[in-house]
């Protein structure tokens, strides 16, 4: 496993990170015991970076991850979030953040978090996030509850606006850098590089779309993106490749991202993804895959408050 330093932090994270949202049954109902085994298998294979949120399964993912990490906390870089609690349930207030973090610590069976992130900032008012939410996270950092702080979201414009105005340690964006989209590199990556902010890329499979079984029913992408993904699936099959492994390999080759977070909930997925992380993929494979998704590459969807849309 390759490890990279997360921006200016002292965190050394595995290039392949464990996204724990599937443990909260976000994609499908999962077997909790298999979820625990998948976390243990990930640790055994050198994955040390785990990302979760109270939003994933309304606390279920944190609870299951906490159970799996019990007795294994040392050496793990644990990231969770605050501010988002449901599809349309948000609370970016100071009181809400403090209460959320207390509950996260209990569910995760730990007394500190390595990285506390404001979840999906485009659903909050930028002014509140700058004057109330992030100062509260900063206070939690100063009191040792969390070692570092960051923000996450889909809207690159909102992430950038906030990062330019408040000294955060990390940025996490999702569905903005993979086989179907690469606009992360037009705005957020140059900023992160210039300011040495840690950059985390989530959803290398475009939230389950770049898989043989296809996207979950709630996926927000327009139809043309689903169709582009199906074309990529056909090309990878023709070339004898598994689409998910190829898609993950593409993301892992990014030159600045410290960790690519892929959602996992089975030992089989962990093993497959570890294998993909260690594989060198021929450039001609990516040429064919990227050609297959044109002209529907970089098609995005609206997310967040009207003022915060990209
Ligand atoms: P993803 O693109 O990683 O896809 C996950 C889906 O693919 C799951 O259904 C998983 O079971 C499946 N999968 C994983 N490996 C596979 C393989 N080898 N073959 C076939 N299927 C496979 O999407 P994601 O889970 O949304 O993103 C990864 C993680 O990033 C999340 O779990 C979460 O931790 C983080 N994330 C954060 C935010 C945010 O903060 N706003 C948003 C999205 C994701």
């Amino acid at each position: 496993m390759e490890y990279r330093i997360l921006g200016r932090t002292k965190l050394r994270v595995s290039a392949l990170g464990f996204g724990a949202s599937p443990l909260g049954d976000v994609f499908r109902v999962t077997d909790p015991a298999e979820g625990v085994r998948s976390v243990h298998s990930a640790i055994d294979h050198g994955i040390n970076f785990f990302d979760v949120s109270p939003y994933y399964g309304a606390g279920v993912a944190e609870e299951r991850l906490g159970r799996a990490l019990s007795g294994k906390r040392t050496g793990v870089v644990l990231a969770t979030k605050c501010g988002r609690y449901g599809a349309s349930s948000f609370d970016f207030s100071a009181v809400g953040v403090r209460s959320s973090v207390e509950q996260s610590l209990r569910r995760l069976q730990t007394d500190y978090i390595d990285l506390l992130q404001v979840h999906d900032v485009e659903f909050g008012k930028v002014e509140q996030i700058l004057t109330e939410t992030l100062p509260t996270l900063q206070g939690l950092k100063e009191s040792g509850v969390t070692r570092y702080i960051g923000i996450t979201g889909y809207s690159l414009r909102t992430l950038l606006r906030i990062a330019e105005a408040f000294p955060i340690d990390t940025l996490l964006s999702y569905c903005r850098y993979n086989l179907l989209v690469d606009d992360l590199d037009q705005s957020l990556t140059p900023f992160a590089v210039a300011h040495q902010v840690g950059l985390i890329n989530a959803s290398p499979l475009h939230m389950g779309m770049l898989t043989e079984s296809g996207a979950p029913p709630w996926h927000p992408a327009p139809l043309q993106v689903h169709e582009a993904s199906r074309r990529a699936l056909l090309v990878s099959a023709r070339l004898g490749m598994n689409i998910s492994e190829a898609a993950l390999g593409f993301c892992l080759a990014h030159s600045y991202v410290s960790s690519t977070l892929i959602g996992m909930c089975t030992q089989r997925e962990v093993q497959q993804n570890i294998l993909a992380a260690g594989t060198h993929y021929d450039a001609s494979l990516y040429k064919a895959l990227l050609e297959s998704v044109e002209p529907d590459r970089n098609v995005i969807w609206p997310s967040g408050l009207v003022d915060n849309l990209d």
Side-chain angles (χ1 to χ4, degrees):
M1 178 59 62
E2 185 191 341
Y3 299 88
R4 300 175 188 165
I5 301 295
L6 191 51
R8 268 180 282 102
T9 75
K10 292 191 167 59
L11 299 175
R12 190 172 157 270
V13 291
S14 46
L16 180 62
F18 191 109
S21 67
L23 296 184
D25 295 350
V26 166
F27 290 88
R28 59 177 187 276
V29 176
T30 63
D31 171 7
E34 177 62 7
V36 169
R37 287 193 290 269
S38 71
V39 171
H40 293 172
S41 170
I43 293 174
D44 292 345
H45 284 95
I47 291 177
N48 75 343
F49 186 40
F50 292 82
D51 175 79
V52 70
S53 164
Y55 171 39
Y56 304 148
V60 170
E62 282 193 330
E63 256 171 42
R64 290 180 178 168
L65 183 61
R67 209 175 305 145
L69 292 180
S70 172
K72 295 178 184 286
R73 179 72 176 88
T74 317
V76 162
V77 177
L78 184 54
T80 192
K81 312 191 186 90
C82 56
R84 180 163 203 175
Y85 306 102
S88 49
S89 167
F90 300 88
D91 181 355
F92 296 103
S93 70
V95 172
V97 165
R98 286 195 207 98
S99 151
S100 171
V101 172
E102 264 176 41
Q103 293 169 54
S104 289
L105 290 172
R106 186 179 43 74
R107 286 190 290 255
L108 289 165
Q109 303 186 30
T110 186
D111 55 5
Y112 73 99
I113 292 159
D114 292 289
L115 175 61
L116 180 61
Q117 306 158 101
V118 185
H119 198 163
D120 289 347
V121 286
E122 65 269 20
F123 286 92
K125 292 205 168 67
V126 168
E127 198 197 326
Q128 185 188 24
I129 294 193
L130 290 175
T131 59
E132 185 174 353
T133 321
L134 281 169
T136 306
L137 266 70
Q138 183 65 33
L140 291 167
K141 180 176 170 178
E142 282 155 19
S143 61
V145 172
T146 183
R147 293 176 68 198
Y148 297 101
I149 63 172
I151 55 176
T152 83
Y154 182 72
S155 161
L156 298 177
R157 189 173 74 89
T158 311
L159 287 166
L160 193 60
R161 268 177 79 194
I162 294 170
E164 280 171 342
F166 198 97
I168 47 156
D169 300 308
T170 63
L171 285 160
L172 181 161
S173 88
Y174 70 98
C175 290
R176 300 311 281 255
Y177 185 86
N178 59 48
L179 285 175
L180 292 163
V181 55
D182 68 354
D183 57 3
L184 179 75
D185 282 354
Q186 282 154 33
S187 56
L188 222 52
T189 308
F191 174 87
V193 171
H195 298 273
Q196 284 180 284
V197 174
L199 189 59
I200 301 160
N201 180 29
S203 311
L205 309 184
H206 220 51
M207 293 197 294
M209 187 184 281
L210 291 163
T211 59
E212 276 165 11
S213 50
W218 48 258
H219 203 293
L223 183 63
Q224 67 194 104
V225 182
H226 292 261
E227 286 170 355
S229 168
R230 275 195 286 274
R231 294 198 297 274
L233 180 68
L234 291 176
V235 168
S236 65
R238 205 178 63 226
L239 296 172
M241 278 295 311
N242 175 287
I243 186 65
S244 305
E245 294 176 20
L248 177 59
F250 177 83
C251 291
L252 287 168
H254 193 282
S255 61
Y256 184 75
V257 164
S258 297
S259 190
T260 298
L261 287 172
I262 184 163
M264 297 186 268
C265 54
T266 65
Q267 294 176 91
R268 188 180 143 74
E269 283 174 353
V270 171
Q271 278 151 17
Q272 249 185 306
N273 295 335
I274 290 282
L275 198 68
T279 302
H280 173 76
Y281 294 96
D282 202 305
S284 62
L285 167 76
Y286 290 124
K287 186 168 179 292
L289 286 173
L290 293 173
E291 277 171 7
S292 76
V293 300
E294 291 292 350
D296 302 308
R297 199 150 189 262
N298 283 314
V299 172
I300 61 169
W301 55 86
S303 177
L305 304 183
V306 176
D307 285 350
N308 295 337
L309 298 181
D310 273 350

